[in-house]
Amino acid sequence: MLRTNYCEIDLDAIRHNVGVMRSHIAGGAKFLAVVKANAYGHGAVPVARAALEAGADMLAVAIPEEGVELRRAAIDAPILVLGGAELEAADAIVASRLTQVVFDEARIRALSAAGERLGMTAQVHLKLDTGMNRIGVRTPEEARALTALIDSLPGIELTGCFTHMATADEDDRAGTLAQIARFETLCAAIAQVHPAPITRHAANTACIFRYPQAHFDMVRGGIALYGYPPVPEAVGLRPAMRWVTRGVYVKTIAPGERVSYGGTFEAQRETRVMTVPVGYADGYSRGLSGKGCVLVRGHRAPILGRVCMDQVMVDVTDIPDAQVGDEVVLLGRQGEACIDAQELADWLGTISYEVLCSPSARVPRVHIHA
């Protein structure tokens, strides 16, 4: 690392958060850890290993490439690909022993053919759409037909079915209960054709804490794995990411001088300005311009003017000891002070998920055991 700009990932926090979620599981259901999108920006391989060490039974990714990455790291646990895969990816999916989501005839046939070619069995979960209106079969007739197709073909095996809740983290109990009921109806349709047990899962992170009736055979832990509660009931979590850099320059400007592109900030007093070597190319959003702040010596330093591609300027006038080389925290805790992903999200008008995924590839992840 040639510059101080990295995301520090606390793997003990990941393990702790798995334990918090598992303590809420009803009826002996299994726990699936969602490590898609590079584990929400935290580093897929180390996070996956930590989650498995803490008791996760399965992992989930969004695209086959993410599953292949885990296999290349010698992770042998079951891996579910949550998104639809292109037909040309079928051989790689089967060869990597990934469990693929299916919801149409073309993908089922492609995976079956790949299984036959490779002398292996493609394992699949049938996606059921109960109200998200994204991907998945919607009617009992569709569920029965695709189940029958899977069971009729060589080289493929139905091992699970699942749905995703659209509003479990909102004040929409009726909507979530309706989705659970539709899921049960579709599961019953599958069982009419395929009476052998399969893994049924419907609970996302919010449901883990709010809807034990949705736990079925397995639950899926996402945002809470990384320390952020999707609902108030999710207590006791520990954020795992801390984004750190250092100040590279400090100067004093006079009243009336302006800062950064467009001169959108004009000093009203003599102002000490620290330049921080992070910008929107690092994933530190330009939308934070004039809104956000960072931590320096345990105090908040407001952003002055526009965030640049590679640098941002902050006000350290009220932090008189601030100097070049001081640690600057963009996200996380510094002493008693803290800026978490939810606060950053509020400044940006988005959600904590997007903030956690934002640090770019040029920001190394450093995994620690706190």
Side-chain angles (χ1 to χ4, degrees):
M1 201 179 340
L2 301 181
R3 63 173 180 156
T4 301
N5 177 19
Y6 60 91
C7 286
E8 183 181 271
I9 310 300
D10 180 357
L11 295 177
D12 287 340
I14 298 292
R15 296 186 187 91
H16 168 84
N17 296 334
V18 171
V20 171
M21 286 185 279
R22 290 184 69 211
S23 72
H24 286 78
I25 294 176
K30 293 182 177 180
F31 179 78
L32 177 152
V34 182
V35 295
K36 65 179 180 176
N38 196 29
Y40 291 38
H42 291 65
V45 170
V47 168
R49 287 178 176 148
L52 292 167
E53 290 165 4
D57 301 286
M58 192 173 194
L59 305 169
V61 296
I63 58 177
E65 291 90 337
E66 294 174 338
V68 171
E69 177 192 3
L70 297 177
R71 289 286 184 244
R72 287 176 176 165
I75 291 174
D76 197 47
I79 300 171
L80 176 64
V81 180
L82 294 168
E86 296 184 19
L87 304 184
E88 296 80 5
D91 280 43
I93 289 166
V94 176
S96 296
R97 296 176 293 109
L98 306 178
T99 301
Q100 177 61 48
V101 166
V102 294
F103 44 83
D104 62 8
E105 181 177 343
R107 285 168 178 79
I108 290 169
R109 291 192 179 278
L111 290 162
S112 167
E116 276 212 287
R117 278 192 298 273
L118 297 171
M120 300 174 69
T121 299
Q123 295 195 346
V124 298
H125 282 200
L126 185 60
K127 180 62 182 289
L128 307 176
D129 181 7
T130 60
M132 187 74 169
N133 284 316
R134 193 162 57 179
I135 56 174
V137 301
R138 302 178 63 185
T139 67
E141 293 74 21
E142 286 181 289
R144 284 191 289 266
L146 290 186
T147 300
L149 176 63
I150 294 167
D151 285 352
S152 73
L153 293 172
I156 190 168
E157 178 186 7
L158 180 68
T159 58
C161 67
F162 76 106
T163 194
H164 190 64
M165 297 299 168
T167 58
D169 57 346
E170 298 179 12
D171 187 18
D172 183 22
R173 184 171 179 81
T176 300
L177 293 177
Q179 279 197 263
I180 295 169
R182 285 194 290 271
F183 180 66
E184 291 175 323
T185 297
L186 292 171
C187 287
I190 292 169
Q192 290 172 352
V193 178
H194 184 98
I198 60 174
T199 300
R200 304 162 302 156
H201 49 113
N204 58 5
T205 309
C207 283
I208 291 174
F209 296 97
R210 274 191 173 173
Y211 296 97
Q213 63 269 55
H215 289 186
F216 294 100
D217 303 311
M218 186 165 67
V219 303
R220 303 186 302 272
I223 189 66
L225 183 62
Y226 308 100
Y228 288 88
V231 291
E233 296 91 331
V235 297
L237 301 170
R238 288 166 44 189
M241 181 184 288
R242 185 172 176 265
W243 191 353
V244 179
T245 184
R246 293 193 181 278
V248 295
Y249 189 57
V250 177
K251 62 181 174 296
T252 300
I253 63 173
E257 290 195 78
R258 299 193 292 174
V259 175
S260 196
Y261 291 112
T264 57
F265 172 81
E266 181 177 325
Q268 302 301 306
R269 60 173 177 168
E270 190 173 85
T271 302
R272 294 185 77 230
V273 180
M274 174 181 281
T275 300
V276 177
V278 174
Y280 58 79
D282 299 286
Y284 194 71
S285 176
R286 191 171 182 272
L288 293 166
S289 300
K291 297 179 183 177
C293 62
V294 302
L295 299 177
V296 178
R297 296 191 173 226
H299 298 279
R300 292 185 169 226
I303 293 171
L304 300 178
R306 291 177 180 161
V307 174
C308 308
M309 183 181 289
D310 312 295
Q311 299 173 88
V312 62
M313 282 64 74
V314 301
D315 186 350
V316 294
T317 309
D318 297 325
I319 313 172
D321 295 332
Q323 58 186 303
V324 171
D326 277 353
E327 178 188 77
V328 177
V329 173
L330 308 168
L331 167 66
R333 185 168 293 281
Q334 187 183 59
E336 296 301 312
C338 183
I339 298 171
D340 67 17
Q342 187 55 57
E343 185 171 12
L344 279 164
D346 291 342
W347 291 333
L348 290 166
T350 185
I351 56 177
S352 59
Y353 305 66
E354 183 177 0
V355 169
L356 295 173
C357 291
S358 293
S360 71
R362 76 179 193 178
V363 182
R365 273 57 166 182
V366 177
H367 295 88
I368 65 165
H369 302 272

